């Protein structure tokens, strides 16, 4: 398999609204991000996945784009964006833009035109349908943000499709001219020297709404191969598709090199483990570590050779994993380091979400007035109407709400965690007084330096990038595996629990590579692992 730069780097995701505010308006901005490039260079990351910075009414915080080639006023100017790309490049950091082309904002010029009437040239850039026999919505398709996926347009007497908010009308990818306009826009961004694209819900662009098909539609891969040919295929860019429904077999269709589609995909099979099978994300069940182990191992072995894995615990849509499945209380430090070691020693490209590297935690709310995210606000309204108690709804929001990831990045112990000199658009977690980047940098034993070391290990040891994966058979709560490359063999051992766990193998330790508890390790026989203990050893 040909080797690429994006197989060897660690990617850092910035959610710009919450990363760093430079002008005191309480909203993160591009100048603020540029100020923090030295911090990211120190961490050692090789690319930044930048959530949308384009013009948007912010109905879905920028995932509703009204102009793909203008920068959101609150974030700054195109000149500042081009300066950011250049400054990142000086630090060997590539910028991976968020490509949101399953839908636009309803304020995008194309949709403004499309709504003018059925004969408008842009009408067919979107998905329209006549009412059903009873005058209601065309079919049962639902929005991810509650309610039907169809919005009535009085003027034309038709509905338009929106798999997300009604201010996010779905684009019609069957329309070739629309596709060509998207490719032209992508090429203009590529010409600015970006490092690639993260492709928002890209598995939905093959949808056939009249047949109720949304993900993995029949033309999906035809469109991606066309996009590859028409845009990034001529460049060595990182392209990662967000594909909620992917299995390893489907992931090969996206990432097998000979298919000329994408570098890799984000798959979410592990992410669904604490969701009731027949429920929504809000309907919780305990996560079983044995299941997590099985799924991680399956993706390592089934996608390890003819495709490429992305590796992540967190992003802007997910609660913070340290609170979700780790221990954000007495064992916050050890469990954060355990999560990092477990993930970063796997085969694939790891992604760090802003604040994960300093052990930031979820931020519970006591009142829905503290919530900002449209998904949460719509669910709150929908579940109240269905008779759920306020307490149950808030419990679900505190466990799984997206605002948990979107609280201001905690830079220091000053007001609002040093994120802004003004009033933040969303409150900071009060624990910024102790959990912040400044404190992390001053503490050689901090979670930050564990991430920094894991990134350095990846750069200095081919085994981490290219080594084969082999799962070790252990008790359910211990996830342990070998990595092997060119005669070298590393053993990764992690206790994914609050309790002591047994572990024993016959290998001899040649060298301790990393250890979250730090004390000496001399033997691997008949161990009693401490809560959240994690280490990597080179073995004979
Ligand atoms: O997310 C796709 C998506 O399906 C998520 O919204 C997911 O269903 C939900 O967040 C689970 O909590 C992408 C973006 O990452 C997300 O921020 C956008 O809201 C969405 O697409 C629409 O663009
Ligand atoms: Ca600002």
């Amino acid at each position: 398999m040909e080797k690429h730069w994006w197989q060897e780097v660690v990617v850092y995701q910035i959610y710009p609204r919450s990363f760093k505010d430079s002008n005191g308006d309480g909203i993160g901005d591009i100048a603020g991000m540029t100020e923090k490039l030295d911090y990211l260079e120190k961490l050692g990351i090789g690319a930044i996945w930048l959530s949308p910075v384009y013009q948007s009414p912010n109905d879905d915080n920028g995932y509703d784009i009204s102009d793909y080639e203008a920068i959101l006023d609150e974030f700054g100017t195109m000149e500042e964006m081009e300066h950011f790309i250049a400054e990142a490049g000086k630090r060997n950091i590539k910028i991976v833009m968020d490509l949101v082309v399953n839908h636009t904002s309803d304020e995008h010029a194309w949709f403004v035109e499309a709504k003018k009437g059925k004969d408008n040239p842009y009408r067919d850039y979107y998905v329209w349908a006549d009412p059903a026999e009873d005058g209601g919505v065309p079919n049962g398709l639902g929005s991810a943000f509650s309610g039907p996926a169809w919005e009535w347009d009085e003027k034309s007497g038709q509905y338009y499709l929106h798999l997300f908010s009604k201010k996010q009308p779905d684009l019609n990818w069957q329309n070739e001219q629309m596709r060509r306009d998207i490719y032209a826009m992508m090429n203009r961004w590529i010409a600015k020297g970006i490092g690639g694209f993260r492709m928002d819900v890209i598995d939905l662009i093959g949808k056939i709404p009249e047949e109720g098909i949304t993900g993995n539609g029949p033309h999906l891969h035809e469109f991606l191969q066309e996009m590859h040919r028409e845009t990034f295929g001529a460049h060595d860019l990182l392209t990662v598709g967000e594909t909620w429904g992917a299995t390893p077999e489907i992931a090969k269709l996206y990432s097998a090199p000979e298919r000329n589609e994408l570098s890799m995909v984000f798959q979410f099979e592990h992410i669904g483990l604490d969701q009731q099978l027949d429920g929504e994300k809000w309907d919780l069940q305990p996560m079983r570590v044995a299941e997590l182990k099985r799924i991680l191992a399956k993706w390592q072995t089934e996608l390890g050779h003819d495709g490429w894995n992305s590796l992540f615990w967190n992003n802007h849509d997910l609660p913070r994993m340290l609170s979700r499945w780790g221990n954000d209380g007495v064992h916050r430090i050890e469990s954060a380091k355990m999560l990092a070691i477990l993930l970063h020693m796997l085969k694939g490209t790891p992604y760090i979400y802003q604040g994960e590297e300093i052990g930031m935690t979820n931020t519970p709310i006591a009142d829905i007035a503290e919530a900002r995210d449209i998904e949460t606000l719509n669910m709150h309204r929908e579940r109240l109407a269905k008779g759920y108690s306020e307490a149950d709804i808030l419990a679900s929001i505190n466990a799984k709400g997206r605002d948990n990831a979107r609280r201001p990045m905690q830079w220091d112990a000053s007001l609002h965690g040093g994120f802004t000199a003004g009033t933040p658009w969303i409150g900071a977690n009060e624990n910024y007084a102790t959990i912040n980047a400044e404190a992390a940098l001053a503490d050689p034993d901090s979670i930050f330096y564990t991430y920094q070391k894991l990134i350095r290990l990846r750069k200095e040891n081919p085994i981490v990038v290219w080594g084969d994966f082999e799962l070790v058979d252990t008790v359910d709560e211990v996830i342990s595996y070998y990595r092997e490359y060119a005669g070298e063999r590393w053993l990764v051992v992690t206790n994914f629990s609050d309790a002591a766990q047994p572990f024993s193998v016959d290998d001899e330790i040649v060298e301790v590579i990393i250890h979250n508890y730090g004390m000496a390790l001399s033997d691997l026989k008949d161990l009693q692992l401490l809560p959240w203990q994690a280490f990597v050893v080179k073995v004979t």
Side-chain angles (χ1 to χ4, degrees):
M1 183 175 180
E2 188 189 350
K3 295 182 177 179
H4 298 275
W5 65 269
W6 40 261
Q7 292 173 296
E8 303 183 87
V9 298
V10 172
V11 185
Y12 187 94
Q13 183 192 356
I14 289 180
Y15 192 71
R17 197 168 195 82
S18 307
F19 191 64
K20 181 67 174 73
D21 170 24
S22 70
N23 63 350
D25 66 357
I27 297 166
D29 46 52
I30 294 169
M33 296 187 319
T34 306
E35 276 174 37
K36 295 300 179 182
L37 282 172
D38 289 340
Y39 167 81
L40 294 175
E41 184 183 22
K42 185 179 182 68
L43 181 58
I45 53 108
I48 290 168
W49 156 23
L50 181 58
S51 277
V53 291
Y54 320 100
Q55 201 60 275
S56 164
N58 287 312
D59 190 53
D60 185 15
N61 277 2
Y63 282 90
D64 50 318
I65 296 169
S66 54
D67 185 341
Y68 290 102
E69 299 183 70
I71 299 299
L72 181 68
D73 299 334
E74 297 163 330
F75 286 165
T77 64
M78 185 57 86
E79 290 67 32
E80 286 175 304
M81 184 62 209
E82 289 165 350
H83 176 66
F84 175 67
I85 294 169
E87 284 301 308
K90 288 177 189 168
R91 297 165 174 84
N92 294 316
I93 296 174
K94 294 180 184 281
I95 304 302
V96 175
M97 299 299 283
D98 210 320
L99 184 73
V100 186
V101 292
N102 173 67
H103 48 271
T104 69
S105 163
D106 65 343
E107 298 181 27
H108 191 287
W110 294 344
F111 194 71
V112 171
E113 282 300 310
K115 282 191 77 171
K116 286 179 178 172
K118 292 182 184 177
D119 56 356
N120 186 287
Y122 288 92
R123 184 75 174 184
D124 189 47
Y125 272 37
Y126 295 89
V127 181
W128 300 88
D130 292 331
E133 294 292 311
D134 64 3
V137 291
N139 66 24
L141 282 180
S143 159
F145 297 159
S146 305
W150 298 100
E151 179 68 12
W152 178 245
D153 172 47
E154 189 60 42
K155 185 176 169 74
S156 64
Q158 285 192 306
Y159 286 89
Y160 67 83
L161 180 72
H162 61 86
L163 294 179
F164 294 94
S165 90
K166 61 188 175 188
K167 283 183 70 62
Q168 293 170 289
D170 278 60
L171 284 165
N172 168 22
W173 273 74
Q174 309 292 340
N175 183 303
E176 183 177 354
Q177 187 50 53
M178 189 287 291
R179 300 202 304 269
R180 300 219 165 282
D181 286 350
I182 293 287
Y183 302 154
M185 173 271 290
M186 291 174 68
N187 282 323
R188 288 190 286 269
W189 272 105
I190 291 172
K192 292 180 189 291
I194 62 171
F197 294 103
R198 175 267 185 181
M199 299 187 183
D200 191 63
V201 289
I202 202 68
D203 58 335
L204 300 181
I205 65 171
K207 66 180 79 75
I208 304 195
E210 59 278 13
E211 295 174 20
I213 296 172
T214 52
N216 300 313
H219 302 290
L220 172 59
H221 295 282
E222 178 191 317
F223 293 150
L224 287 175
Q225 288 164 15
E226 179 184 69
M227 183 190 282
H228 182 284
R229 270 196 315 278
E230 299 294 327
T231 68
F232 54 83
H235 311 264
D236 190 14
L237 301 185
L238 185 164
T239 50
V240 52
E242 181 197 27
T243 56
W244 276 78
T247 62
E249 283 318 301
I250 290 175
K252 284 177 195 166
L253 296 178
Y254 290 103
S255 64
E258 68 278 3
R259 288 182 54 88
N260 293 323
E261 292 189 21
L262 305 179
S263 314
M264 66 190 95
V265 294
F266 289 132
Q267 57 85 16
F268 294 80
E269 196 175 354
H270 60 312
I271 291 299
L273 284 174
D274 57 5
Q275 177 177 334
Q276 290 170 21
L277 278 184
D278 54 359
E280 297 180 299
K281 64 179 263 186
W282 312 106
D283 304 311
L284 310 173
Q285 67 172 17
M287 182 279 289
R288 292 189 308 108
V289 179
E291 271 302 286
L292 176 62
K293 179 179 352 183
R294 183 183 64 78
I295 287 168
L296 290 176
K298 178 179 80 169
W299 281 87
Q300 287 289 296
T301 48
E302 294 184 19
L303 195 61
H305 295 291
D306 38 15
W308 194 257
N309 274 296
S310 67
L311 307 168
F312 69 96
W313 294 127
N314 294 291
N315 66 29
H316 64 291
D317 290 333
L318 303 175
R320 289 191 174 271
M321 188 54 82
L322 177 54
S323 298
R324 185 179 185 179
W325 294 345
N327 177 317
D328 63 5
V330 289
H331 288 301
R332 184 178 70 87
I333 306 285
E334 296 85 13
S335 71
K337 292 178 179 179
M338 182 282 293
L339 287 166
I341 291 167
L342 171 54
L343 192 81
H344 281 249
M345 283 293 123
L346 291 171
K347 185 173 186 178
T349 300
Y351 289 73
I352 299 171
Y353 179 67
Q354 67 184 46
E356 173 184 337
E357 79 280 9
I358 58 170
M360 279 176 62
T361 62
N362 280 353
T363 306
I365 63 174
D367 186 304
I368 193 64
E370 299 170 63
R372 294 292 177 275
D373 176 23
I374 186 170
E375 181 191 48
T376 291
L377 295 170
N378 287 2
M379 163 275 204
H380 178 261
R381 199 169 35 251
E382 180 181 66
R383 290 206 162 196
L384 273 185
K386 285 181 177 174
Y388 286 75
S389 73
E390 186 75 31
D392 286 351
I393 294 172
L394 286 177
S396 289
I397 291 169
N398 286 333
K400 298 294 289 299
R402 304 195 300 182
D403 283 333
N404 279 308
R406 303 173 178 189
R407 299 292 177 150
M409 177 69 185
Q410 296 167 197
W411 293 107
D412 58 42
S414 70
L415 189 60
H416 308 310
F419 163 71
T420 178
T423 304
W425 69 278
I426 186 171
N429 187 311
E430 288 306 318
N431 63 24
Y432 66 73
T434 51
I435 300 175
N436 61 70
E438 188 175 71
L441 292 172
D443 170 6
D445 207 22
S446 66
I447 298 161
F448 177 92
Y449 289 115
T450 289
Y451 274 90
Q452 186 191 58
K453 181 167 185 180
L454 289 165
I455 295 170
R456 190 171 59 246
L457 285 169
R458 179 171 291 269
K459 286 175 182 168
E460 294 170 353
N461 301 276
I463 190 172
V464 179
V465 178
W466 309 111
D468 287 334
F469 169 94
E470 178 194 346
L471 188 67
V472 176
D473 183 17
T474 63
V475 299
D476 283 355
E477 311 294 302
V478 173
I479 301 181
S480 176
Y481 56 88
Y482 291 103
R483 297 293 306 278
E484 187 156 357
Y485 185 76
E488 196 173 351
R489 196 165 162 80
W490 287 15
L491 173 65
V492 181
V493 181
T494 64
N495 176 358
F496 207 111
S497 79
D498 260 330
Q501 298 291 344
F503 178 82
S504 184
V505 290
D506 296 333
D507 303 292
E508 294 297 321
I509 295 177
V510 173
E511 180 191 350
V512 178
I513 303 289
I514 190 168
H515 182 198
N516 68 344
Y517 273 85
M519 73 273 191
L521 281 170
S522 56
D523 193 356
L524 294 169
K525 295 255 327 138
D526 303 326
L527 295 181
Q528 274 297 316
L529 299 176
L530 297 169
W532 310 102
Q533 187 171 2
F535 59 82
V536 182
V537 287
K538 186 185 292 188
V539 293
T540 51

